[in-house]
Amino acid sequence: VGTFDLTPYKGAAEKLLAGDALTVEQLLGMRPRQQQRDPVARERAEEEARQKIRAVFVALRRKALGNLEEKGIQTLHLAVGMAAWPAADGGRPYAAPILLIPASIDSRGRSGNDLRLSVTGEPRLNPVLLSVLEESQDVRIDAAAVVKECSEEGETGQWRIEPEKVFAAIRARARSVSQFAIESRCILANFQFAKMAMVEDLKRNEDAMASSPFIAAIAGHSASRQQLAQASIDVEPRQL
């Protein structure tokens, strides 16, 4: 189990973004209900839904803990909003979350069956989405500016992001992208962005690497290889 779609659970996203923690039982009460006249069938369907939510939570929590312990990265996020647009070559359409908010599934009680979902960090725009828009569509979006523009201070003094405002801001900035669309969805999943730091580092140092004979030699440039092979530098080992 890789994801949990919270979209059908009425009010779940709003409560999570407001800072509330949601239990399995609370989510169960938010799910769309099918009319069951038979009380036995209704009870059976409810228990199946309860076990399904719990099983998904356990799997997502296990994966998140494994990533944290083995790789030192927090991967469990609440993804709010999905952006999509057709590929220019007619291949698989682009699709990516818009807002990513760190989340946690806590286990309480003696048996650990009391599972609670909550958000644990500040929202941010999906860096992968921004990178793809810039590389493939020449659309540059200032993530910090959008988040600031679409946040407001609540009565308690806590700042909250307004997803619909974020969607409107992204639509406005990506209006040049053909058939660009945003769907209001809320999905819980493990997302990994370890490679994005390397991508950003490469972008920041593009000019330096382009002028480096070492990079050119590694890339197979014969003149740079000859230049480095002929170079003779006396280095004191203690200076390394």
Side-chain angles (χ1 to χ4, degrees):
V1 178
T3 63
F4 180 53
D5 192 350
L6 284 157
T7 310
Y9 295 79
K10 188 176 181 180
E14 290 77 4
K15 284 186 172 295
L16 289 169
L17 292 176
D20 295 340
L22 294 179
T23 65
V24 173
E25 292 301 319
Q26 286 174 311
L27 282 169
L28 194 64
M30 297 175 178
R31 72 186 180 94
R33 294 184 179 274
Q34 297 180 351
Q35 296 297 329
Q36 292 277 4
R37 293 184 178 181
D38 184 352
V40 176
R42 183 169 57 249
E43 185 175 344
R44 184 186 302 114
E46 185 171 302
E47 181 59 27
E48 289 177 355
R50 178 182 291 107
Q51 293 303 325
K52 182 179 180 180
I53 296 173
R54 182 173 287 118
V56 175
F57 273 19
V58 169
L60 289 172
R61 182 173 184 269
R62 183 181 297 117
K63 180 67 174 179
L65 289 175
N67 289 332
L68 184 61
E69 294 172 357
E70 297 172 11
K71 304 175 183 178
I73 55 176
Q74 181 177 359
T75 57
L76 189 64
H77 287 78
L78 194 68
V80 181
M82 293 293 293
W85 67 96
D89 58 3
R92 184 177 181 181
Y94 291 99
I98 296 176
L99 272 174
L100 291 172
I101 308 157
S104 175
I105 298 174
D106 297 322
S107 176
R108 301 185 180 183
R110 292 183 179 180
S111 60
N113 288 329
D114 184 9
L115 301 173
R116 296 171 182 249
L117 170 65
S118 62
V119 296
T120 57
E122 297 298 321
R124 63 169 177 165
L125 294 184
N126 180 3
V128 177
L129 171 63
L130 302 185
S131 178
V132 172
L133 283 173
E134 182 175 351
E135 293 296 327
S136 67
Q137 303 292 329
D138 197 28
V139 173
R140 294 174 177 82
I141 297 177
D142 186 335
V146 171
V147 171
K148 183 178 180 180
E149 173 187 332
C150 302
S151 300
E152 62 180 23
E153 189 175 7
E155 296 179 355
T156 60
Q158 183 180 5
W159 284 87
R160 292 175 53 185
I161 194 80
E162 295 290 337
E164 292 300 328
K165 290 185 178 180
V166 174
F167 301 162
I170 297 298
R171 285 192 189 97
R173 288 162 172 79
R175 59 183 177 273
S176 62
V177 181
S178 177
Q179 300 181 54
F180 184 86
I182 293 177
E183 185 180 2
S184 295
R185 297 184 62 190
C186 183
I187 297 173
L188 181 68
N190 282 287
F191 298 90
Q192 298 190 42
F193 307 102
K195 295 181 181 179
M196 279 307 300
M198 182 171 60
V199 171
E200 293 300 325
D201 187 55
L202 291 173
K203 288 181 178 178
R204 284 193 299 268
N205 297 281
E206 183 177 357
D207 293 338
M209 289 187 295
S211 61
S212 170
F214 294 99
I215 300 296
I218 293 173
H221 188 250
S222 57
S224 298
R225 287 186 172 185
Q226 293 175 2
Q227 177 186 352
L228 293 176
Q230 294 171 358
S232 177
I233 302 175
D234 294 328
V235 179
E236 175 61 37
R238 287 176 296 180
Q239 295 177 351
L240 297 177

